[in-house]
PDB file of all heavy atoms in Angstrom:
ATOM      1  N   LEU B 158     -29.544  11.465  16.854  1.00 85.00           N
ATOM      2  CA  LEU B 158     -30.541  12.565  16.940  1.00 85.00           C
ATOM      3  C   LEU B 158     -31.798  12.035  17.687  1.00 85.00           C
ATOM      4  O   LEU B 158     -32.434  12.823  18.523  1.00 85.00           O
ATOM      5  CB  LEU B 158     -30.942  13.089  15.569  1.00 85.00           C
ATOM      6  CG  LEU B 158     -29.902  14.097  14.901  1.00 85.00           C
ATOM      7  CD1 LEU B 158     -30.297  14.440  13.493  1.00 85.00           C
ATOM      8  CD2 LEU B 158     -29.699  15.378  15.773  1.00 85.00           C
ATOM      9  N   THR B 166     -23.783  14.241  17.453  1.00 89.00           N
ATOM     10  CA  THR B 166     -24.094  14.270  16.036  1.00 89.00           C
ATOM     11  C   THR B 166     -23.143  15.209  15.252  1.00 89.00           C
ATOM     12  O   THR B 166     -22.553  14.852  14.184  1.00 89.00           O
ATOM     13  CB  THR B 166     -25.528  14.787  15.705  1.00 89.00           C
ATOM     14  OG1 THR B 166     -26.383  14.086  16.670  1.00 89.00           O
ATOM     15  CG2 THR B 166     -26.039  14.495  14.350  1.00 89.00           C
ATOM     16  N   ILE B 170     -20.411  14.159  12.490  1.00 91.00           N
ATOM     17  CA  ILE B 170     -20.318  14.732  11.108  1.00 91.00           C
ATOM     18  C   ILE B 170     -18.964  15.310  10.832  1.00 91.00           C
ATOM     19  O   ILE B 170     -18.390  15.190   9.754  1.00 91.00           O
ATOM     20  CB  ILE B 170     -21.532  15.773  10.935  1.00 91.00           C
ATOM     21  CG1 ILE B 170     -22.824  15.005  11.072  1.00 91.00           C
ATOM     22  CG2 ILE B 170     -21.360  16.487   9.594  1.00 91.00           C
ATOM     23  CD1 ILE B 170     -24.073  15.927  11.048  1.00 91.00           C
ATOM     24  N   PHE B 191     -22.937  21.093   1.726  1.00 83.00           N
ATOM     25  CA  PHE B 191     -23.172  22.285   2.456  1.00 83.00           C
ATOM     26  C   PHE B 191     -24.492  22.968   2.335  1.00 83.00           C
ATOM     27  O   PHE B 191     -25.143  23.384   3.377  1.00 83.00           O
ATOM     28  CB  PHE B 191     -22.040  23.391   2.039  1.00 83.00           C
ATOM     29  CG  PHE B 191     -21.913  24.535   2.935  1.00 83.00           C
ATOM     30  CD1 PHE B 191     -21.461  24.443   4.215  1.00 83.00           C
ATOM     31  CD2 PHE B 191     -22.339  25.797   2.544  1.00 83.00           C
ATOM     32  CE1 PHE B 191     -21.241  25.510   5.127  1.00 83.00           C
ATOM     33  CE2 PHE B 191     -22.143  26.899   3.447  1.00 83.00           C
ATOM     34  CZ  PHE B 191     -21.676  26.700   4.640  1.00 83.00           C
ATOM     35  N   VAL B 192     -25.064  22.990   1.144  1.00 85.00           N
ATOM     36  CA  VAL B 192     -26.366  23.591   0.813  1.00 85.00           C
ATOM     37  C   VAL B 192     -27.459  22.971   1.665  1.00 85.00           C
ATOM     38  O   VAL B 192     -28.148  23.710   2.473  1.00 85.00           O
ATOM     39  CB  VAL B 192     -26.684  23.636  -0.678  1.00 85.00           C
ATOM     40  CG1 VAL B 192     -28.038  24.236  -0.909  1.00 85.00           C
ATOM     41  CG2 VAL B 192     -25.585  24.440  -1.493  1.00 85.00           C
ATOM     42  N   PRO B 193     -27.721  21.613   1.547  1.00 81.00           N
ATOM     43  CA  PRO B 193     -28.852  21.034   2.328  1.00 81.00           C
ATOM     44  C   PRO B 193     -28.602  21.265   3.873  1.00 81.00           C
ATOM     45  O   PRO B 193     -29.584  21.518   4.513  1.00 81.00           O
ATOM     46  CB  PRO B 193     -28.822  19.613   1.949  1.00 81.00           C
ATOM     47  CG  PRO B 193     -27.498  19.393   1.255  1.00 81.00           C
ATOM     48  CD  PRO B 193     -27.058  20.681   0.679  1.00 81.00           C
ATOM     49  N   VAL B 194     -27.298  21.227   4.260  1.00 80.00           N
ATOM     50  CA  VAL B 194     -27.045  21.261   5.731  1.00 80.00           C
ATOM     51  C   VAL B 194     -27.523  22.752   6.261  1.00 80.00           C
ATOM     52  O   VAL B 194     -28.197  22.855   7.217  1.00 80.00           O
ATOM     53  CB  VAL B 194     -25.586  21.100   6.075  1.00 80.00           C
ATOM     54  CG1 VAL B 194     -25.322  21.519   7.471  1.00 80.00           C
ATOM     55  CG2 VAL B 194     -25.280  19.621   5.899  1.00 80.00           C
ATOM     56  N   VAL B 195     -27.195  23.742   5.503  1.00 85.00           N
ATOM     57  CA  VAL B 195     -27.539  25.119   5.814  1.00 85.00           C
ATOM     58  C   VAL B 195     -29.054  25.233   5.806  1.00 85.00           C
ATOM     59  O   VAL B 195     -29.572  25.778   6.742  1.00 85.00           O
ATOM     60  CB  VAL B 195     -26.839  26.118   4.883  1.00 85.00           C
ATOM     61  CG1 VAL B 195     -27.497  27.459   5.055  1.00 85.00           C
ATOM     62  CG2 VAL B 195     -25.255  26.145   5.092  1.00 85.00           C
ATOM     63  N   VAL B 196     -29.639  24.707   4.770  1.00 86.00           N
ATOM     64  CA  VAL B 196     -31.125  24.767   4.701  1.00 86.00           C
ATOM     65  C   VAL B 196     -31.741  24.126   5.811  1.00 86.00           C
ATOM     66  O   VAL B 196     -32.675  24.694   6.448  1.00 86.00           O
ATOM     67  CB  VAL B 196     -31.546  24.080   3.310  1.00 86.00           C
ATOM     68  CG1 VAL B 196     -33.109  23.932   3.390  1.00 86.00           C
ATOM     69  CG2 VAL B 196     -31.160  24.985   2.129  1.00 86.00           C
ATOM     70  N   MET B 197     -31.193  22.885   6.211  1.00 82.00           N
ATOM     71  CA  MET B 197     -31.812  22.297   7.403  1.00 82.00           C
ATOM     72  C   MET B 197     -31.634  22.976   8.565  1.00 82.00           C
ATOM     73  O   MET B 197     -32.504  23.168   9.464  1.00 82.00           O
ATOM     74  CB  MET B 197     -31.064  20.884   7.494  1.00 82.00           C
ATOM     75  CG  MET B 197     -31.979  19.698   7.925  1.00 82.00           C
ATOM     76  SD  MET B 197     -31.241  18.083   7.809  1.00 82.00           S
ATOM     77  CE  MET B 197     -30.236  18.203   9.220  1.00 82.00           C
ATOM     78  N   ILE B 198     -30.398  23.585   8.933  1.00 80.00           N
ATOM     79  CA  ILE B 198     -30.225  24.367  10.108  1.00 80.00           C
ATOM     80  C   ILE B 198     -31.170  25.592  10.181  1.00 80.00           C
ATOM     81  O   ILE B 198     -31.839  25.756  11.183  1.00 80.00           O
ATOM     82  CB  ILE B 198     -28.679  24.900  10.201  1.00 80.00           C
ATOM     83  CG1 ILE B 198     -27.828  23.687  10.338  1.00 80.00           C
ATOM     84  CG2 ILE B 198     -28.583  25.911  11.226  1.00 80.00           C
ATOM     85  CD1 ILE B 198     -26.290  23.943  10.297  1.00 80.00           C
ATOM     86  N   ILE B 199     -31.266  26.250   9.048  1.00 83.00           N
ATOM     87  CA  ILE B 199     -32.236  27.386   8.962  1.00 83.00           C
ATOM     88  C   ILE B 199     -33.686  26.937   9.329  1.00 83.00           C
ATOM     89  O   ILE B 199     -34.303  27.595  10.088  1.00 83.00           O
ATOM     90  CB  ILE B 199     -32.084  28.064   7.612  1.00 83.00           C
ATOM     91  CG1 ILE B 199     -30.766  28.833   7.607  1.00 83.00           C
ATOM     92  CG2 ILE B 199     -33.315  29.126   7.511  1.00 83.00           C
ATOM     93  CD1 ILE B 199     -30.508  29.432   6.187  1.00 83.00           C
ATOM     94  N   ALA B 200     -33.976  25.793   8.745  1.00 81.00           N
ATOM     95  CA  ALA B 200     -35.318  25.255   8.930  1.00 81.00           C
ATOM     96  C   ALA B 200     -35.574  24.921  10.448  1.00 81.00           C
ATOM     97  O   ALA B 200     -36.564  25.281  11.014  1.00 81.00           O
ATOM     98  CB  ALA B 200     -35.587  23.968   8.069  1.00 81.00           C
ATOM     99  N   VAL B 201     -34.528  24.275  11.077  1.00 76.00           N
ATOM    100  CA  VAL B 201     -34.804  23.996  12.429  1.00 76.00           C
ATOM    101  C   VAL B 201     -34.810  25.239  13.290  1.00 76.00           C
ATOM    102  O   VAL B 201     -35.745  25.315  14.155  1.00 76.00           O
ATOM    103  CB  VAL B 201     -33.473  23.085  12.960  1.00 76.00           C
ATOM    104  CG1 VAL B 201     -33.445  23.050  14.502  1.00 76.00           C
ATOM    105  CG2 VAL B 201     -33.571  21.663  12.366  1.00 76.00           C
ATOM    106  N   ILE B 202     -33.982  26.132  12.966  1.00 77.00           N
ATOM    107  CA  ILE B 202     -34.052  27.403  13.782  1.00 77.00           C
ATOM    108  C   ILE B 202     -35.442  28.082  13.514  1.00 77.00           C
ATOM    109  O   ILE B 202     -35.991  28.626  14.576  1.00 77.00           O
ATOM    110  CB  ILE B 202     -32.928  28.290  13.429  1.00 77.00           C
ATOM    111  CG1 ILE B 202     -31.594  27.681  13.867  1.00 77.00           C
ATOM    112  CG2 ILE B 202     -33.068  29.800  14.002  1.00 77.00           C
ATOM    113  CD1 ILE B 202     -30.315  28.428  13.316  1.00 77.00           C
ATOM    114  N   SER B 203     -35.872  28.122  12.294  1.00 78.00           N
ATOM    115  CA  SER B 203     -37.155  28.897  12.100  1.00 78.00           C
ATOM    116  C   SER B 203     -38.395  28.198  12.437  1.00 78.00           C
ATOM    117  O   SER B 203     -39.285  28.836  12.929  1.00 78.00           O
ATOM    118  CB  SER B 203     -37.237  29.306  10.554  1.00 78.00           C
ATOM    119  OG  SER B 203     -35.999  29.268   9.949  1.00 78.00           O
ATOM    120  N   PHE B 204     -38.415  26.898  12.286  1.00 76.00           N
ATOM    121  CA  PHE B 204     -39.726  26.197  12.470  1.00 76.00           C
ATOM    122  C   PHE B 204     -39.823  25.443  13.691  1.00 76.00           C
ATOM    123  O   PHE B 204     -40.950  24.970  13.997  1.00 76.00           O
ATOM    124  CB  PHE B 204     -40.005  25.323  11.240  1.00 76.00           C
ATOM    125  CG  PHE B 204     -40.021  26.003   9.941  1.00 76.00           C
ATOM    126  CD1 PHE B 204     -39.147  25.872   8.893  1.00 76.00           C
ATOM    127  CD2 PHE B 204     -41.103  27.032   9.773  1.00 76.00           C
ATOM    128  CE1 PHE B 204     -39.155  26.716   7.735  1.00 76.00           C
ATOM    129  CE2 PHE B 204     -41.202  27.768   8.577  1.00 76.00           C
ATOM    130  CZ  PHE B 204     -40.143  27.582   7.584  1.00 76.00           C
ATOM    131  N   THR B 205     -38.773  25.185  14.446  1.00 73.00           N
ATOM    132  CA  THR B 205     -38.939  24.498  15.698  1.00 73.00           C
ATOM    133  C   THR B 205     -38.352  25.402  16.855  1.00 73.00           C
ATOM    134  O   THR B 205     -37.682  26.374  16.558  1.00 73.00           O
ATOM    135  CB  THR B 205     -38.217  23.195  15.730  1.00 73.00           C
ATOM    136  OG1 THR B 205     -36.727  23.409  15.813  1.00 73.00           O
ATOM    137  CG2 THR B 205     -38.434  22.379  14.498  1.00 73.00           C
ATOM    138  N   MET B 208     -33.889  25.228  19.047  1.00 71.00           N
ATOM    139  CA  MET B 208     -32.680  26.025  19.025  1.00 71.00           C
ATOM    140  C   MET B 208     -32.845  27.441  19.608  1.00 71.00           C
ATOM    141  O   MET B 208     -31.963  28.132  20.011  1.00 71.00           O
ATOM    142  CB  MET B 208     -32.075  26.122  17.661  1.00 71.00           C
ATOM    143  CG  MET B 208     -31.321  24.833  17.114  1.00 71.00           C
ATOM    144  SD  MET B 208     -29.954  24.438  18.189  1.00 71.00           S
ATOM    145  CE  MET B 208     -28.783  25.694  17.811  1.00 71.00           C
TER     146      MET B 208
END
Side-chain angles (χ1 to χ4, degrees):
Chain B
L158 283 174
T166 316
I170 295 173
F191 190 70
V192 174
V194 168
V195 169
V196 169
M197 219 171 76
I198 290 171
I199 289 170
V201 167
I202 291 171
S203 335
F204 298 112
T205 73
M208 286 299 290

